[in-house]
Amino acid sequence: MSQHTSLVSIALCTYNGEKYLKAQLDSLVIQDYQNLEIIIVDDCSTDNTVSIIKEYQKLRSNITLYINEKNLGFNKNFKKALENCKGDYIAFADQDDMWELNKISKMVENIGDNLLIYHNSAYIDENGIPNGLSKKSHHKFVSGDCAINFLYYNCVSGHACMINKDLLETTPPFPKDFYYDWWFAYTAANTGRINFLNESLVKHRKHSNSSTSADHTDPRSLRLYQFKLFLAHPMTIGSVKEMLLKLIHNYEELRFKKFSLKLFSILIRNAHQLFYIRKKSVYSRLKFLITESTQHQ
């Protein structure tokens, strides 16, 4: 089958999403790419989410709904959605966004032999009004052999990416308390088969109830946890593994030192690669490096 006629699965996980769900479903069912299936897994919603989906099912034969018998939580619910996707490519949808009608066709056209492709997203508020910002307002995008760029920051949003199903075979199970999009992006980056489209193909809703709301875990402890996940990842290439070993060793030494000159030196020497993704001023970057290399009381 030609790439441009391949089956594409849209994986959508829902939970109490009645407020914005219709707008998202409207944008999915009018996609100009024809060979689509929409796989929806609902995680025991208590509002009208399921009723809304069933109304759309009556009109669209390519919508399949699975309703969990018990609440699985996002990671397990998402895993279930992936397991039921039959497409050669899989795109991920949030329940409260709105897609441009050519999102899927653009991504299929440009994915080539990459395992993952992603794009920019324009931000809207709770009322659907653009605020003038986008993902690229705060992040730089990367492609190719760029795994080291993903150690501190992630520029790939789940709602903005599509994967080749082959990526599922090389990606280990999603770790607890870690973002699935970052895990997919890191895996693809280690193979060098990741690319991006410099277009905004989703209106991404930013609001207080979003599942991506801020995590209040101590940032440095979280980073150390993530570094160890990356180190254990079977696809991590040698040069990235060497960097991770140095970072982990020096972060752990901070338990016994007020300031780690070694860690500061590593960070400042490799700042262009390690911190490339996140847009910051020189002052903010330097302040971050000093804080990162200083023992927390």
Side-chain angles (χ1 to χ4, degrees):
M1 182 180 287
S2 165
Q3 184 181 65
H4 298 291
T5 57
S6 298
L7 176 64
V8 176
S9 301
I10 297 175
L12 170 60
C13 294
T14 59
Y15 178 71
N16 289 349
E18 65 176 3
K19 187 172 182 180
Y20 305 114
L21 185 57
K22 286 185 178 182
Q24 173 65 305
L25 290 174
D26 284 342
S27 74
L28 300 186
V29 299
I30 64 167
Q31 287 293 302
D32 64 4
Y33 189 86
Q34 297 300 308
N35 198 13
L36 281 177
E37 65 169 8
I38 302 173
I39 304 299
I40 305 175
V41 183
D42 185 78
D43 204 17
C44 301
S45 291
T46 56
D47 62 3
N48 292 317
T49 294
V50 171
S51 297
I52 292 170
I53 297 168
K54 287 182 175 179
E55 286 300 313
Y56 280 79
Q57 269 192 303
K58 293 176 184 178
L59 303 173
R60 300 282 176 167
S61 61
N62 63 341
I63 297 177
T64 303
L65 171 63
Y66 297 91
I67 303 172
N68 294 336
E69 294 182 358
K70 63 178 182 178
N71 186 276
L72 299 179
F74 182 77
N75 264 11
K76 290 183 179 179
N77 199 42
F78 181 67
K79 181 175 181 289
K80 181 176 177 179
L82 288 180
E83 289 171 348
N84 285 285
C85 289
K86 301 180 180 67
D88 298 299
Y89 303 102
I90 304 171
F92 314 124
D94 289 345
Q95 65 183 5
D96 45 11
D97 293 339
M98 291 184 288
W99 287 14
E100 301 296 340
L101 66 87
N102 62 346
K103 170 182 159 77
I104 294 296
S105 59
K106 282 274 189 179
M107 299 184 85
V108 171
E109 181 182 349
N110 287 278
I111 193 169
D113 64 352
N114 289 291
L115 291 174
L116 185 152
I117 189 168
Y118 64 104
H119 58 72
N120 195 20
S121 302
Y123 295 157
I124 58 176
D125 66 15
E126 295 187 12
N127 299 311
I129 300 172
N131 62 13
L133 300 176
S134 71
K135 184 75 172 182
K136 291 197 79 172
S137 299
H138 308 290
H139 296 82
K140 296 176 184 176
F141 287 174
V142 293
S143 61
D145 297 312
C146 56
I148 197 167
N149 299 136
F150 284 100
L151 296 187
Y152 276 83
Y153 300 109
N154 177 35
C155 58
V156 177
S157 298
H159 69 265
C161 72
M162 185 175 78
I163 66 168
N164 185 310
K165 67 178 180 182
D166 292 345
L167 183 59
L168 298 177
E169 298 177 7
T170 56
T171 303
F174 305 125
K176 182 181 179 182
D177 300 325
F178 194 68
Y179 298 108
Y180 77 88
D181 45 19
W182 199 345
W183 198 236
F184 273 137
Y186 179 76
T187 304
N190 274 285
T191 71
R193 296 169 65 188
I194 181 172
N195 203 0
F196 65 88
L197 278 173
N198 196 22
E199 297 183 50
S200 291
L201 298 177
V202 166
K203 293 182 177 70
H204 180 56
R205 202 180 302 269
K206 305 287 281 185
H207 57 91
S208 58
N209 293 325
S210 171
S211 61
T212 57
S213 294
D215 186 336
H216 300 291
T217 305
D218 173 58
R220 197 159 58 185
S221 298
L222 187 59
R223 266 188 285 282
L224 188 55
Y225 167 69
Q226 291 171 181
F227 291 160
K228 291 178 179 180
L229 290 177
F230 291 144
L231 184 63
H233 194 301
M235 298 297 292
T236 297
I237 59 176
S239 58
V240 177
K241 192 171 289 188
E242 289 177 14
M243 175 59 69
L244 285 166
L245 286 168
K246 291 177 183 177
L247 290 171
I248 291 169
H249 175 72
N250 285 284
Y251 269 98
E252 290 182 334
E253 276 199 341
L254 267 180
R255 290 178 296 175
F256 313 106
K257 297 181 178 180
K258 290 185 177 180
F259 182 82
S260 173
L261 183 59
K262 284 185 179 179
L263 178 58
F264 182 76
S265 299
I266 291 170
L267 297 181
I268 204 162
R269 283 199 311 270
N270 297 279
H272 180 68
Q273 288 181 302
L274 293 175
F275 310 115
Y276 176 81
I277 283 177
R278 185 68 172 169
K279 292 181 179 179
K280 287 188 177 183
S281 67
V282 174
Y283 172 76
S284 295
R285 179 70 45 78
L286 183 59
K287 183 179 178 182
F288 172 78
L289 297 187
I290 293 171
T291 302
E292 201 71 357
S293 304
T294 304
Q295 185 185 74
H296 293 178
Q297 299 298 320

